C-alpha cells in the first residue's frame, strides 16, 4: 500500500499537468517572445499570394493558401508543437463555413433552373417593355435591394435578377459598368441588411452580438450610403434619354427569347416562391432548394425540358444556343460546378485561418493591437484595416467576417464601446467591399456571373464604398458610436461573478 500511494500520486500530478497543458493548447498557443516568429506563417503565405497575383497574374488563391497550411504545420513541428491539435482547430473553423457552402451550391442550381424554367428570360422579355433608360439605374438598384433583403442572398440576386437586368440595360443602351454597379449596390445592400443572410447572421455570432441589435446598428452607415447611391443613379440616368434606345436591338432580343422559351407569368412562379419563403422567414437552404424544385417543375411541364436534361443543368449549368450572341452569353450560366471555385476557396481559406489561429498568430497580432489602439477613431480604423487586409490577402468573405470579430470583440468591451459598432464596421468593409476586390469570393463571383471585370463596375457600386466612408466619418465625429452604459456593465460583471458556467460560455464564443 505504501509503495503504491506515492506512485499513484505522481501519476495523478503528471496527468493534471498534461490536462492543464492540453486545455491551454486546445484554444491555441499564446504569443511567444518573438513576434516575427509568431506571424511568420502569415507573412510567408502572404508573399506566396502576392507572387501568384502580381507576378504570375493569376488571381486564384487556392494553392497559396494550401501552401500556407503546410507552412504553418512546418512551423508547428519546428517549435515542437502537434499537427493534430492544429488540424482539429482548422477543421472546427471550416465547419463554420459549411452552411454557406451548401447555400452557394444551391444558388448555382437556382441560377441554372431559373434559366431553363424561363424565369430569367421572362424577366428579360417584359423588362424591355417596362424600363426607360432615364430611370433604369435607379430602378435596378432599388429592385435588387428589395429582392436581396427578401431572399437574404446577394449572390442569388446577382445571378438571377441581376443577370436579367444586365441584358435589359444592354438593350436600353446603358453601359455595362453602370448597370453592374447598380446591381452590386442593391444586391449587397440587401444581403447586409437581411436577417436571412448568412453574412448578417455570421458576423454578430462571431462577435457575440444579438442579430437585431446588429441590424439596427448598421442603419447609420447603410441608409445614408444607399440614399446617396440612389441619387447618383438617378442623376446618371438623366444622361440617357429615349433617343439612345436601339429599338431594333430590343425587338431582336425579345423575338429571340419568345422563339426559344414559353414566355408567361407562370414562369415567374419560382421567383414568387423564393421571395414568399423568405418573407415567411424560412431558412436559407430550404428556400433556395425550394426555388430549384419549383423551377425544375416549370421547366419540365411548361418548357418541355426532360428530367435528364434538368439534372444535367443543375449539375453543370445551362449552355444557351439560340444563335444570338448577347442572349447566349447572358443565359449560359449556373450549375453546382460553377460554384466549385468559390466553395474550394472557402475551405482553403477557413482551414488556413484555423491553422494560424492555433499556432498563435492571431493572439500575437492582438497583443500588438492592444498596445497601439487607444482612441475611438483608432479602434474603428483598426477594424476596417483588419477586415480589408484579410479580404484582400485571403480572398474569402467568411474568413473576413469571422476573423476580426474573434480578434477585436474583447477590445471593444475593454474600451467601453458596444460591439454593434464592431459588427457594423466588419460588414461595412467586409460584406460591402468583397464584390469590389477582383480575387475575393464576392468580386470573382460577380465578375463571372455578370461577365464584366470587377474593377470596371467597382467605381460605380456607390453604396458599397460609401458605407465605410460614413463609418469613418461617424467615428471621427463621435456620432453613432455608442458606449456601454454603467448599469449594463455592472449587470455583466454581476452575471460573470455569479455564473456557474463561465468556461463553457467562453468556449462557445471562441
Amino acid at each position: 500500500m505504501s509503495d503504491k500511494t506515492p506512485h499513484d500520486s505522481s501519476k495523478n500530478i503528471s496527468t493534471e499537468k498534461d490536462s492543464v497543458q492540453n486545455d491551454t493548447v486546445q484554444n491555441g498557443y499564446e504569443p511567444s517572445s518573438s513576434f516575427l516568429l509568431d506571424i511568420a506563417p502569415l507573412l510567408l503565405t502572404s508573399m506566396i499570394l502576392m507572387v501568384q497575383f502580381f507576378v504570375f497574374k493569376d488571381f486564384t488563391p487556392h494553392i497559396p493558401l494550401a501552401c500556407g497550411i503546410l507552412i504553418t504545420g512546418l512551423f508547428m513541428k519546428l517549435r515542437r508543437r502537434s499537427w493534430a491539435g492544429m488540424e482539429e482547430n482548422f477543421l472546427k473553423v471550416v465547419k463554420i463555413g459549411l452552411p454557406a457552402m451548401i447555400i452557394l451550391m444551391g444558388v448555382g442550381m437556382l441560377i441554372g433552373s431559373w434559366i431553363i424554367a424561363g424565369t430569367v428570360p421572362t424577366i428579360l422579355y417584359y423588362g424591355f417593355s417596362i424600363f426607360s433608360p432615364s430611370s433604369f439605374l435607379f430602378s435596378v438598384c432599388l429592385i435588387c435591394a428589395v429582392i436581396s433583403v427578401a431572399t437574404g442572398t446577394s449572390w442569388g440576386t446577382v445571378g438571377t435578377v441581376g443577370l436579367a437586368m444586365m441584358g435589359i440595360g444592354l438593350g436600353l443602351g446603358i453601359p455595362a459598368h453602370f448597370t453592374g454597379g447598380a446591381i452590386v449596390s442593391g444586391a449587397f445592400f440587401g444581403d447586409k441588411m437581411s436577417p436571412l443572410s448568412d453574412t448578417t447572421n455570421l458576423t454578430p455570432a462571431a462577435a457575440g452580438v444579438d442579430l437585431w441589435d446588429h441590424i439596427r446598428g448598421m442603419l447609420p452607415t447603410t441608409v445614408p450610403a444607399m440614399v446617396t447611391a440612389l441619387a447618383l443613379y438617378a442623376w446618371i440616368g438623366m444622361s440617357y434619354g429615349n433617343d439612345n434606345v436601339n429599338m431594333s436591338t430590343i425587338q431582336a432580343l425579345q423575338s429571340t427569347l419568345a422563339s426559344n422559351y414559353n414566355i408567361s407569368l407562370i414562369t415567374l412562379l419560382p421567383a414568387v416562391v423564393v421571395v414568399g419563403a423568405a418573407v415567411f422567414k424560412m431558412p436559407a437552404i430550404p428556400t433556395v432548394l425550394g426555388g430549384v424544385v419549383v423551377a425544375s417543375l416549370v421547366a419540365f411541364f411548361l418548357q418541355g425540358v426532360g428530367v435528364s436534361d434538368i439534372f444535367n443543368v443543375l449539375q453543370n449549368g445551362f449552355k444557351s444556343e439560340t444563335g444570338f450572341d448577347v442572349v447566349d452569353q447572358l443565359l449560359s450560366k449556373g450549375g453546382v460546378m460553377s460554384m466549385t471555385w468559390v466553395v474550394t476557396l472557402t475551405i482553403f481559406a477557413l482551414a488556413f485561418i484555423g491553422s494560424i489561429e492555433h499556432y498563435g498568430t492571431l493572439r500575437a497580432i492582438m497583443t500588438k493591437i492592444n498596445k497601439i489602439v487607444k482612441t475611438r477613431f483608432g479602434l474603428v480604423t483598426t477594424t476596417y484595416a483588419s477586415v480589408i487586409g484579410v479580404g484582400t490577402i485571403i480572398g474569402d468573405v467568411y474568413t473576413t467576417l469571422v476573423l476580426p470579430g474573434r480578434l477585436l470583440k474583447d477590445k471593444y468591451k475593454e474600451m467601453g464601446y458596444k460591439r454593434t459598432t464592431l459588427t457594423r464596421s466588419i460588414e461595412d468593409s467586409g460584406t460591402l467591399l468583397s464584390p469590389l476586390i477582383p480575387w475575393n469570393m464576392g468580386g470573382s463571383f460577380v465578375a463571372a456571373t455578370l461577365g464584366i471585370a470587377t474593377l470596371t463596375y467597382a467605381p460605380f457600386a456607390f453604396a458599397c464604398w460609401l458605407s465605410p466612408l460614413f463609418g469613418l466619418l461617424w467615428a471621427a465625429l463621435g456620432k453613432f458610436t455608442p458606449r456601454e452604459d454603467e448599469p449594463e456593465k455592472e449587470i455583466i460583471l454581476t452575471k460573470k461573478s455569479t455564473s456557474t458556467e463561465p468556461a463553457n460560455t467562453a468556449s462557445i464564443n471562441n
Side-chain angles (χ1 to χ4, degrees):
M1 292 288 291
S2 59
D3 292 337
K4 187 175 181 181
T5 302
H7 175 75
D8 286 345
S9 176
S10 175
K11 185 176 180 180
N12 289 339
I13 293 172
S14 177
T15 303
E16 287 174 3
K17 287 182 178 179
D18 291 340
S19 177
V20 171
Q21 184 177 1
N22 289 337
D23 288 341
T24 303
V25 173
Q26 185 176 5
N27 291 321
Y29 290 89
E30 293 297 326
S32 67
S33 57
S34 173
F35 179 69
L36 184 61
L37 188 60
D38 288 336
I39 66 171
L42 179 60
L43 289 177
L44 292 173
T45 305
S46 299
M47 291 171 61
I48 297 173
L49 281 164
M50 294 303 102
V51 170
Q52 175 83 334
F53 294 160
F54 302 115
V55 178
F56 299 152
K57 306 296 182 183
D58 186 350
F59 297 110
T60 52
H62 300 62
I63 303 306
L65 289 175
C67 292
I69 298 171
L70 179 60
I71 289 170
T72 309
L74 290 175
F75 271 90
M76 292 283 292
K77 189 68 175 178
L78 288 172
R79 302 180 77 174
R80 297 182 180 181
R81 297 174 178 178
S82 170
W83 167 276
M86 187 187 85
E87 181 178 316
E88 181 181 352
N89 193 70
F90 77 60
L91 289 176
K92 179 178 69 177
V93 176
V94 168
K95 187 178 179 181
I96 296 173
L98 286 177
M101 295 180 216
I102 295 174
I103 292 172
L104 288 174
M105 290 185 283
V107 168
M109 292 190 288
L110 188 69
I111 293 171
S113 64
W114 275 31
I115 292 174
I116 60 174
T119 305
V120 173
T122 298
I123 295 172
L124 279 169
Y125 184 88
Y126 288 117
F128 287 131
S129 304
I130 296 173
F131 289 102
S132 67
S134 60
S135 65
F136 178 72
L137 294 175
F138 178 92
S139 301
V140 164
C141 183
L142 193 59
I143 289 170
C144 287
V146 171
I147 292 175
S148 189
V149 168
T151 60
T153 168
S154 56
W155 291 27
T157 302
V158 169
T160 51
V161 177
L163 183 61
M165 295 301 173
M166 285 298 296
I168 297 172
L170 183 64
L172 294 176
I174 308 295
H177 52 269
F178 284 147
T179 305
I183 291 168
V184 170
S185 285
F188 283 82
F189 161 85
D191 191 331
K192 180 186 177 187
M193 298 303 296
S194 174
L196 301 179
S197 168
D198 52 354
T199 58
T200 309
N201 282 273
L202 188 62
T203 302
V209 174
D210 176 75
L211 172 63
W212 295 106
D213 288 342
H214 167 58
I215 292 175
R216 284 192 294 270
M218 291 192 291
L219 293 175
T221 58
T222 312
V223 172
M226 191 60 172
V227 171
T228 305
L230 288 171
L232 288 170
Y233 292 131
W235 176 69
I236 293 172
M238 293 171 62
S239 302
Y240 297 92
N242 292 327
D243 292 339
N244 294 325
V245 181
N246 187 339
M247 294 305 298
S248 62
T249 301
I250 291 179
Q251 290 169 359
L253 285 167
Q254 287 180 314
S255 176
T256 301
L257 293 169
S259 62
N260 285 273
Y261 295 91
N262 289 318
I263 304 296
S264 73
L265 294 178
I266 297 176
T267 59
L268 297 177
L269 184 61
V272 173
V273 169
V274 171
V275 173
V279 169
F280 286 102
K281 299 183 179 180
M282 291 284 292
I285 293 175
T287 294
V288 171
L289 296 181
V292 171
V293 172
V294 174
S296 299
L297 292 173
V298 172
F300 178 79
F301 288 106
L302 188 63
Q303 306 294 349
V305 182
V307 174
S308 177
D309 291 331
I310 292 174
F311 281 12
N312 182 61
V313 168
L314 297 182
Q315 175 69 20
N316 301 306
F318 181 69
K319 176 72 173 176
S320 178
E321 297 177 345
T322 64
F324 199 112
D325 289 341
V326 174
V327 173
D328 289 340
Q329 184 179 0
L330 285 170
L331 300 183
S332 295
K333 306 284 181 181
V336 171
M337 299 306 295
S338 70
M339 295 296 172
T340 54
W341 193 99
V342 176
V343 169
T344 51
L345 173 58
T346 304
I347 294 172
F348 280 121
L350 292 178
F352 175 65
I353 290 298
S355 299
I356 61 174
E357 180 182 56
H358 187 76
Y359 177 73
T361 300
L362 304 189
R363 283 184 170 84
I365 295 173
M366 194 63 238
T367 300
K368 295 295 183 182
I369 290 175
N370 284 334
K371 294 178 180 179
I372 297 172
V373 177
K374 303 296 183 182
T375 65
R376 175 188 64 248
F377 187 76
L379 183 62
V380 174
T381 303
T382 299
T383 305
Y384 280 129
S386 62
V387 174
I388 294 172
V390 175
T392 302
I393 295 173
I394 306 300
D396 171 57
V397 66
Y398 302 107
T399 307
T400 304
L401 299 175
V402 173
L403 177 55
R406 294 163 74 95
L407 269 176
L408 296 169
K409 62 179 182 177
D410 292 334
K411 186 63 178 178
Y412 271 78
K413 184 176 179 181
E414 174 191 325
M415 294 184 66
Y417 290 100
K418 289 188 176 181
R419 283 176 286 183
T420 51
T421 303
L422 167 63
T423 57
R424 179 184 73 199
S425 301
I426 290 173
E427 289 237 53
D428 281 346
S429 51
T431 301
L432 292 184
L433 294 188
S434 69
L436 310 187
I437 302 172
W439 53 87
N440 190 280
M441 288 171 58
S444 60
F445 173 83
V446 173
T449 302
L450 300 184
I452 51 177
T454 305
L455 296 181
T456 301
Y457 66 76
F460 307 101
F462 301 121
C464 293
W465 53 263
L466 280 171
S467 190
L469 292 182
F470 274 108
L472 290 174
L473 176 63
W474 302 145
L477 298 177
K479 304 291 186 181
F480 306 112
T481 312
R483 298 184 65 92
E484 294 281 4
D485 54 50
E486 291 303 319
E488 288 180 344
K489 293 174 76 172
E490 289 176 3
I491 292 173
I492 292 172
L493 292 174
T494 302
K495 285 183 177 180
K496 278 192 171 183
S497 62
T498 57
S499 173
T500 57
E501 300 177 336
N504 293 338
T505 303
S507 176
I508 292 172
N509 290 337
N510 292 328

